[in-house]
């Protein structure tokens, strides 16, 4: 449960939110920690879940790149749950472990990341940090690898992950122990 909210029982949620809880228990063995908070606003929760589901069906950015960017965004925003869950998702999708280990120091370990990944991570960092000069510079690198429609999808995903990680950090949503990769400090 969220550490900054009063705890409530599962039975205090509407039946349709409890259906989401039941699905997550089957899929993950437990209710995901953010759902205890999102479930307090069911309409917003369902819109958020639909949005996340829609991204899973997009070709670009692909799932590995999307989760790689998500881990970095989550580190910057200090979202322990998001780092934990997204790193687990990346590794479960057969992502290379060294990419997760070095994601906070990706510039120091260019050998671990493709040029396309470095371009996307640089852009995700710049957007997350609200760095106008960095966004302009990163956009040039991004355009080498992605068409404008894909850049729109990447930018939208960065916004969604910032929403999720800032929401979780503000409410002190805890890690759930999906992955052993610790959260890292943001780039300076």
């Amino acid at each position: 449960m969220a550490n900054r909210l009063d705890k409530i029982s599962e039975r205090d949620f509407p039946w349709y939110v409890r259906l989401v809880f039941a699905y997550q228990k089957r899929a993950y063995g437990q209710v995901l920690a953010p759902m205890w908070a999102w479930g307090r606003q069911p309409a917003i929760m369902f819109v958020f879940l639909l949005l996340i589901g829609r991204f899973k069906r997009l070709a670009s950015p692909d799932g590995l790149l999307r989760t790689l960017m998500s881990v970095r965004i989550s580190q910057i925003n200090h979202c322990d749950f998001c780092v934990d869950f997204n790193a687990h998702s990346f590794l479960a999708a057969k992502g290379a472990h060294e990419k997760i280990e070095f994601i906070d120091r990706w510039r120091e370990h260019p050998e671990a990341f493709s040029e396309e990944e470095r371009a996307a991570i640089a852009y995700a960092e710049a957007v997350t940090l609200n760095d106008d000069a960095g966004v302009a510079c990163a956009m040039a690198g991004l355009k080498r690898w992605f068409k404008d429609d894909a850049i729109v999808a990447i930018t939208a995903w960065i916004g969604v992950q910032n929403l999720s990680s800032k929401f979780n950090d503000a409410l002190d949503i805890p890690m759930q122990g999906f992955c052993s990769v610790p959260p890292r400090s943001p780039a300076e």
Side-chain angles (χ1 to χ4, degrees):
M1 287 196 187
N3 289 339
R4 292 191 175 126
L5 300 174
D6 293 335
K7 293 182 180 185
I8 60 176
S9 165
E10 187 171 329
R11 70 183 182 320
D12 293 326
F13 288 92
W15 66 268
Y16 45 90
V17 172
R18 292 193 310 265
L19 286 177
V20 173
F21 289 179
Y23 168 79
Q24 289 186 345
K25 287 177 187 176
R26 279 193 313 277
Y28 305 108
Q30 58 191 316
V31 176
L32 298 179
M35 287 302 111
W36 293 101
W38 284 111
R40 292 167 180 255
Q41 293 293 325
I44 298 170
M45 178 190 77
F46 282 110
V47 168
F48 181 71
L49 292 174
L50 286 170
L51 184 61
I52 298 292
R54 179 64 187 118
F55 273 99
K56 289 180 180 179
R57 293 185 295 278
L58 288 179
S60 184
D62 70 45
L64 283 174
L65 183 59
R66 194 172 51 245
T67 55
L68 193 60
M69 289 187 305
S70 295
V71 172
R72 185 64 193 126
I73 292 165
S74 301
Q75 288 174 330
I76 293 167
N77 289 330
H78 308 286
C79 178
D80 295 344
F81 172 83
C82 299
V83 171
D84 177 36
F85 186 76
N86 288 309
H88 167 76
S89 297
F90 181 79
L91 296 172
K94 305 293 186 242
H97 200 275
E98 65 270 6
K99 291 181 192 235
I100 294 298
E101 289 291 327
F102 297 141
I103 187 69
D104 63 327
R105 300 175 315 273
W106 63 271
R107 285 181 179 88
E108 299 165 24
H109 297 279
E111 72 285 352
F113 302 92
S114 70
E115 288 185 43
E116 177 182 1
E117 290 168 334
R118 290 193 307 269
I121 295 167
Y123 183 66
E125 277 188 0
V127 171
T128 299
L129 295 169
N130 204 26
D131 175 4
D132 291 340
V135 169
C137 182
M139 180 62 74
L142 204 60
K143 282 188 168 267
R144 290 184 55 220
W145 300 102
F146 299 97
K147 295 182 187 225
D148 286 350
D149 290 352
I151 292 171
V152 168
I154 289 168
T155 306
W157 179 254
I158 292 167
V160 168
Q161 186 56 51
N162 270 287
L163 163 69
S164 176
S165 59
K166 287 176 184 288
F167 176 90
N168 292 338
D169 180 56
L171 296 177
D172 198 25
I173 305 290
M175 294 176 81
Q176 285 193 251
F178 285 110
C179 189
S180 63
V181 177
R184 305 287 181 162
S185 62
E188 299 298 327

